[in-house]
PDB file of all heavy atoms in Angstrom:
ATOM      1  N   ALA X1410     -73.226-249.397-115.044  1.00 96.00           N
ATOM      2  CA  ALA X1410     -71.897-249.685-114.792  1.00 96.00           C
ATOM      3  C   ALA X1410     -71.395-248.946-113.535  1.00 96.00           C
ATOM      4  O   ALA X1410     -70.594-249.512-112.733  1.00 96.00           O
ATOM      5  CB  ALA X1410     -70.934-249.346-115.979  1.00 96.00           C
ATOM      6  N   ILE X1411     -71.764-247.665-113.357  1.00 97.00           N
ATOM      7  CA  ILE X1411     -71.330-246.844-112.310  1.00 97.00           C
ATOM      8  C   ILE X1411     -71.786-247.387-110.930  1.00 97.00           C
ATOM      9  O   ILE X1411     -71.217-247.519-109.901  1.00 97.00           O
ATOM     10  CB  ILE X1411     -71.654-245.365-112.452  1.00 97.00           C
ATOM     11  CG1 ILE X1411     -70.714-244.743-113.607  1.00 97.00           C
ATOM     12  CG2 ILE X1411     -71.477-244.567-111.185  1.00 97.00           C
ATOM     13  CD1 ILE X1411     -71.084-243.580-114.108  1.00 97.00           C
ATOM     14  N   LEU X1412     -73.145-247.799-110.989  1.00 96.00           N
ATOM     15  CA  LEU X1412     -73.849-248.247-109.803  1.00 96.00           C
ATOM     16  C   LEU X1412     -73.195-249.593-109.452  1.00 96.00           C
ATOM     17  O   LEU X1412     -73.032-249.794-108.262  1.00 96.00           O
ATOM     18  CB  LEU X1412     -75.391-248.393-109.997  1.00 96.00           C
ATOM     19  CG  LEU X1412     -75.938-247.081-110.068  1.00 96.00           C
ATOM     20  CD1 LEU X1412     -77.478-247.342-110.587  1.00 96.00           C
ATOM     21  CD2 LEU X1412     -75.975-246.344-108.788  1.00 96.00           C
ATOM     22  N   ALA X1413     -72.786-250.414-110.419  1.00 95.00           N
ATOM     23  CA  ALA X1413     -72.116-251.689-110.140  1.00 95.00           C
ATOM     24  C   ALA X1413     -70.789-251.514-109.512  1.00 95.00           C
ATOM     25  O   ALA X1413     -70.371-252.043-108.638  1.00 95.00           O
ATOM     26  CB  ALA X1413     -72.017-252.547-111.429  1.00 95.00           C
ATOM     27  N   ALA X1414     -70.021-250.518-109.976  1.00 95.00           N
ATOM     28  CA  ALA X1414     -68.603-250.112-109.464  1.00 95.00           C
ATOM     29  C   ALA X1414     -68.743-249.678-108.054  1.00 95.00           C
ATOM     30  O   ALA X1414     -68.033-250.040-107.204  1.00 95.00           O
ATOM     31  CB  ALA X1414     -67.988-249.150-110.337  1.00 95.00           C
ATOM     32  N   LEU X1415     -69.808-248.819-107.830  1.00 96.00           N
ATOM     33  CA  LEU X1415     -70.011-248.422-106.459  1.00 96.00           C
ATOM     34  C   LEU X1415     -70.374-249.513-105.395  1.00 96.00           C
ATOM     35  O   LEU X1415     -69.769-249.615-104.402  1.00 96.00           O
ATOM     36  CB  LEU X1415     -71.133-247.236-106.528  1.00 96.00           C
ATOM     37  CG  LEU X1415     -71.480-246.531-105.209  1.00 96.00           C
ATOM     38  CD1 LEU X1415     -70.203-245.985-104.543  1.00 96.00           C
ATOM     39  CD2 LEU X1415     -72.623-245.541-105.447  1.00 96.00           C
ATOM     40  N   ALA X1416     -71.270-250.397-105.947  1.00 95.00           N
ATOM     41  CA  ALA X1416     -71.591-251.506-105.122  1.00 95.00           C
ATOM     42  C   ALA X1416     -70.336-252.486-104.839  1.00 95.00           C
ATOM     43  O   ALA X1416     -70.136-252.947-103.702  1.00 95.00           O
ATOM     44  CB  ALA X1416     -72.798-252.356-105.667  1.00 95.00           C
ATOM     45  N   ALA X1417     -69.583-252.653-105.938  1.00 95.00           N
ATOM     46  CA  ALA X1417     -68.354-253.569-105.737  1.00 95.00           C
ATOM     47  C   ALA X1417     -67.392-252.856-104.741  1.00 95.00           C
ATOM     48  O   ALA X1417     -66.772-253.636-103.960  1.00 95.00           O
ATOM     49  CB  ALA X1417     -67.788-253.660-107.099  1.00 95.00           C
ATOM     50  N   LEU X1418     -67.212-251.579-104.768  1.00 96.00           N
ATOM     51  CA  LEU X1418     -66.353-250.886-103.950  1.00 96.00           C
ATOM     52  C   LEU X1418     -66.864-250.997-102.366  1.00 96.00           C
ATOM     53  O   LEU X1418     -66.247-251.291-101.596  1.00 96.00           O
ATOM     54  CB  LEU X1418     -66.228-249.348-104.217  1.00 96.00           C
ATOM     55  CG  LEU X1418     -65.491-248.502-103.111  1.00 96.00           C
ATOM     56  CD1 LEU X1418     -64.112-249.049-102.914  1.00 96.00           C
ATOM     57  CD2 LEU X1418     -65.438-247.067-103.722  1.00 96.00           C
ATOM     58  N   GLN X1419     -68.217-250.712-102.226  1.00 95.00           N
ATOM     59  CA  GLN X1419     -68.847-250.892-100.891  1.00 95.00           C
ATOM     60  C   GLN X1419     -68.567-252.292-100.398  1.00 95.00           C
ATOM     61  O   GLN X1419     -68.346-252.477 -99.230  1.00 95.00           O
ATOM     62  CB  GLN X1419     -70.240-250.495-100.905  1.00 95.00           C
ATOM     63  CG  GLN X1419     -70.439-249.098-101.140  1.00 95.00           C
ATOM     64  CD  GLN X1419     -71.781-248.516-101.250  1.00 95.00           C
ATOM     65  OE1 GLN X1419     -72.593-249.131-102.071  1.00 95.00           O
ATOM     66  NE2 GLN X1419     -72.220-247.386-100.589  1.00 95.00           N
ATOM     67  N   HIS X1420     -68.864-253.298-101.324  1.00 95.00           N
ATOM     68  CA  HIS X1420     -68.742-254.649-100.881  1.00 95.00           C
ATOM     69  C   HIS X1420     -67.242-254.991-100.383  1.00 95.00           C
ATOM     70  O   HIS X1420     -67.021-255.617 -99.354  1.00 95.00           O
ATOM     71  CB  HIS X1420     -69.080-255.626-102.042  1.00 95.00           C
ATOM     72  CG  HIS X1420     -68.937-257.077-101.699  1.00 95.00           C
ATOM     73  ND1 HIS X1420     -69.769-257.730-100.890  1.00 95.00           N
ATOM     74  CD2 HIS X1420     -68.041-257.947-102.207  1.00 95.00           C
ATOM     75  CE1 HIS X1420     -69.298-258.977-100.729  1.00 95.00           C
ATOM     76  NE2 HIS X1420     -68.269-259.114-101.570  1.00 95.00           N
ATOM     77  N   THR X1421     -66.266-254.528-101.244  1.00 95.00           N
ATOM     78  CA  THR X1421     -64.932-254.823-100.922  1.00 95.00           C
ATOM     79  C   THR X1421     -64.421-254.203 -99.661  1.00 95.00           C
ATOM     80  O   THR X1421     -63.727-254.772 -98.801  1.00 95.00           O
ATOM     81  CB  THR X1421     -63.921-254.266-102.029  1.00 95.00           C
ATOM     82  OG1 THR X1421     -64.301-254.916-103.293  1.00 95.00           O
ATOM     83  CG2 THR X1421     -62.488-254.539-101.771  1.00 95.00           C
ATOM     84  N   VAL X1422     -64.935-252.910 -99.388  1.00 93.00           N
ATOM     85  CA  VAL X1422     -64.607-252.376 -98.133  1.00 93.00           C
ATOM     86  C   VAL X1422     -65.072-252.974 -96.859  1.00 93.00           C
ATOM     87  O   VAL X1422     -64.457-253.113 -95.812  1.00 93.00           O
ATOM     88  CB  VAL X1422     -65.214-250.831 -98.173  1.00 93.00           C
ATOM     89  CG1 VAL X1422     -65.048-250.241 -96.715  1.00 93.00           C
ATOM     90  CG2 VAL X1422     -64.503-249.894 -99.102  1.00 93.00           C
ATOM     91  N   ARG X1423     -66.274-253.676 -97.101  1.00 93.00           N
ATOM     92  CA  ARG X1423     -66.938-254.426 -95.974  1.00 93.00           C
ATOM     93  C   ARG X1423     -66.205-255.768 -95.717  1.00 93.00           C
ATOM     94  O   ARG X1423     -66.345-256.407 -94.740  1.00 93.00           O
ATOM     95  CB  ARG X1423     -68.417-254.616 -96.210  1.00 93.00           C
ATOM     96  CG  ARG X1423     -69.175-253.378 -96.021  1.00 93.00           C
ATOM     97  CD  ARG X1423     -70.734-253.581 -96.207  1.00 93.00           C
ATOM     98  NE  ARG X1423     -71.369-252.313 -96.045  1.00 93.00           N
ATOM     99  CZ  ARG X1423     -72.029-251.766 -97.118  1.00 93.00           C
ATOM    100  NH1 ARG X1423     -71.950-252.142 -98.298  1.00 93.00           N
ATOM    101  NH2 ARG X1423     -72.615-250.581 -96.854  1.00 93.00           N
ATOM    102  N   LEU X1424     -65.524-256.331 -96.722  1.00 92.00           N
ATOM    103  CA  LEU X1424     -64.839-257.579 -96.522  1.00 92.00           C
ATOM    104  C   LEU X1424     -63.664-257.353 -95.598  1.00 92.00           C
ATOM    105  O   LEU X1424     -62.688-256.717 -95.854  1.00 92.00           O
ATOM    106  CB  LEU X1424     -64.322-258.137 -97.880  1.00 92.00           C
ATOM    107  CG  LEU X1424     -65.347-258.541 -98.873  1.00 92.00           C
ATOM    108  CD1 LEU X1424     -64.614-258.905-100.173  1.00 92.00           C
ATOM    109  CD2 LEU X1424     -66.071-259.730 -98.373  1.00 92.00           C
TER     110      LEU X1424
END
Side-chain angles (χ1 to χ4, degrees):
I1411 290 167
L1412 291 170
L1415 183 55
L1418 172 57
Q1419 289 173 316
H1420 176 74
T1421 302
V1422 171
R1423 287 185 180 106
L1424 289 176

